[in-house]
Amino acid sequence: MSQDLFAKLVDAVEASPDRVLTNSEAPRWIKKLSDEDATLMSQADVKEACIVTRQLRASMLQHEDTKLLCVSGLETDEFLPDAYDALELTPGLFALAVAELKLVPKASATEIFDAIEGSFQGEDGYEGHDLEDIAKLFPDVSIFQLNERAVSSGSIWRSLGVLLSVFYGQGPIELNEETLECLKDLYESGSDYVPFKNIVQGHLAMSWSGFFLELYRAIEQLYSVPKLVKLTDRWASSKPFYELAELLEHQLGWRPKEEDALRELMESCDASLLDMLANELCPDAEVKSKSVARAIYKQRNSLVHFRSALPEQDYSTPQWNKRISLMIKLVSKLYEKHGENYMIPRP
């Protein structure tokens, strides 16, 4: 890992016409902190890694009884959410982050040249580079120890989402505190079967419409559930619903009609949530499940299709926040009710 890390620095200098290293082949490394840190670098189990955006990247590591989240591209402070403890960056953790997050140097060729040209194996007194001298040449890396008893620590997308809900900062859209709290609740206590990758992608969307559509996609995954409940009541199968839905679509060309499927899902919602959705989306509704489904599907169509007959509505920031908060709550409730059936085989 140390060899690969310094190879990135050498390559960055050699790609520039302004500087030429006279010792590019010489071995270099970061000074060792401890045997424990070196062991972590060589033996840590990388559970997951994700490149979320060009800047935002994360990896989840397991080492003995410790679970760690490495994040680059997110500015945080000392007021961390529960279940997160900030750790100091070490040579081992830094090398793992550069390797697993595929980080490339951010410094200029001149800055890199000045940092490594005169320091290498064979130079009098060389014992390795100081961590801070090399870390500043790459994007910032933050390390968090996760409480493994926290539900969110089971998924890199959930763990990253919790941080995003707390440190959204100057994000692309103006999410208010209520919306961010709804997101935090979903990441921290939502069903394990929620497609959290979609939620994070929506959370970081450049537009309200992008966020709405990612939440809609999360709901859309469950569209086959009401029909499959009825089917398996009469034709038992131990397969999870997602496999049955895939079989029906591939073998028979069947998939549920979207608005009808959404209506059936709405009928399975608690009355209190249905009331909140109806009050916001269709306050004059007589049959709330039907009207809410129609309103959500109509908004989806106006965002997906670019036709004059389906104009995109211009909502205010407070209106968008209200709609997005309700959609987050809807995702949470639907997966709480149907997620396990959809994803897990039945006896």
Side-chain angles (χ1 to χ4, degrees), residues 73-90:
L74 181 64
E75 186 175 341
T76 63
D77 58 36
E78 69 273 20
F79 300 106
L80 293 171
D82 293 341
Y84 291 73
D85 289 316
L87 301 182
E88 287 191 20
L89 193 63
T90 66

Side-chain angles (χ1 to χ4, degrees), residues 41-293:
M41 182 175 67
S42 62
Q43 296 183 7
D45 182 12
V46 181
K47 294 294 186 180
E48 287 185 271
C50 59
I51 298 177
V52 187
T53 68
R54 182 179 178 183
Q55 287 82 26
L56 181 58
R57 300 160 184 233
S59 62
M60 183 175 281
L61 313 176
Q62 182 78 44
H63 182 60
E64 297 176 346
D65 296 327
T66 303
K67 183 171 282 187
L68 303 173
L69 183 69
C70 306
V71 181
S72 180
L74 181 64
E75 186 175 341
T76 63
D77 58 36
E78 69 273 20
F79 300 106
L80 293 171
D82 293 341
Y84 291 73
D85 289 316
L87 301 182
E88 287 191 20
L89 193 63
T90 66
L93 289 170
F94 177 66
L96 275 168
V98 170
E100 297 301 329
L101 303 183
K102 298 180 171 54
L103 298 181
V104 296
K106 67 174 184 180
S108 68
T110 299
E111 291 170 323
I112 297 171
F113 178 89
D114 291 343
I116 69 173
E117 163 68 9
S119 301
F120 52 92
Q121 187 178 42
E123 185 74 8
D124 287 346
Y126 181 72
E127 297 179 348
H129 285 73
D130 290 330
L131 172 61
E132 56 268 27
D133 292 336
I134 301 304
K136 69 182 181 182
L137 304 176
F138 286 87
D140 292 341
V141 173
S142 299
I143 309 295
F144 305 97
Q145 182 171 335
L146 302 177
N147 182 340
E148 290 208 62
R149 289 175 293 180
V151 175
S152 60
S153 69
S155 157
I156 191 170
W157 293 102
R158 295 185 78 152
S159 297
L160 181 59
V162 173
L163 289 176
L164 285 171
S165 65
V166 175
F167 302 112
Y168 186 73
Q170 301 301 311
I173 54 180
E174 195 176 340
L175 299 176
N176 64 21
E177 289 302 317
E178 180 186 354
T179 305
L180 290 170
E181 192 61 34
C182 284
L183 281 164
K184 187 169 181 286
D185 286 345
L186 180 63
Y187 293 130
E188 289 185 330
S189 57
S191 164
D192 286 336
Y193 308 109
V194 172
F196 286 102
K197 180 178 179 180
N198 293 72
I199 309 303
V200 169
Q201 288 174 166
H203 194 159
L204 294 171
M206 293 297 295
S207 66
W208 291 107
S209 58
F211 198 171
F212 182 91
L213 289 173
E214 287 294 349
L215 293 167
Y216 181 90
R217 290 179 66 206
I219 297 168
E220 183 181 23
Q221 181 175 233
L222 300 176
Y223 276 0
S224 61
V225 169
K227 291 290 191 291
L228 290 174
V229 168
K230 295 174 184 176
L231 177 65
T232 54
D233 280 347
R234 305 196 53 185
W235 189 1
S237 173
S238 62
K239 291 182 181 295
F241 282 172
Y242 81 88
E243 285 190 19
L244 292 176
E246 184 178 301
L247 280 170
L248 289 170
E249 184 164 352
H250 288 172
Q251 300 300 320
L252 301 178
W254 176 86
R255 62 178 183 271
K257 294 180 180 179
E258 293 195 31
E259 187 176 338
D260 289 345
L262 184 53
R263 174 186 53 76
E264 289 187 279
L265 286 175
M266 291 299 108
E267 290 171 353
S268 72
C269 288
D270 297 338
S272 59
L273 177 57
L274 200 54
D275 286 343
M276 287 190 290
L277 286 161
N279 289 340
E280 178 65 25
L281 304 176
C282 46
D284 298 326
E286 294 183 4
V287 182
K288 292 180 180 180
S289 58
K290 182 177 181 180
S291 297
V292 168

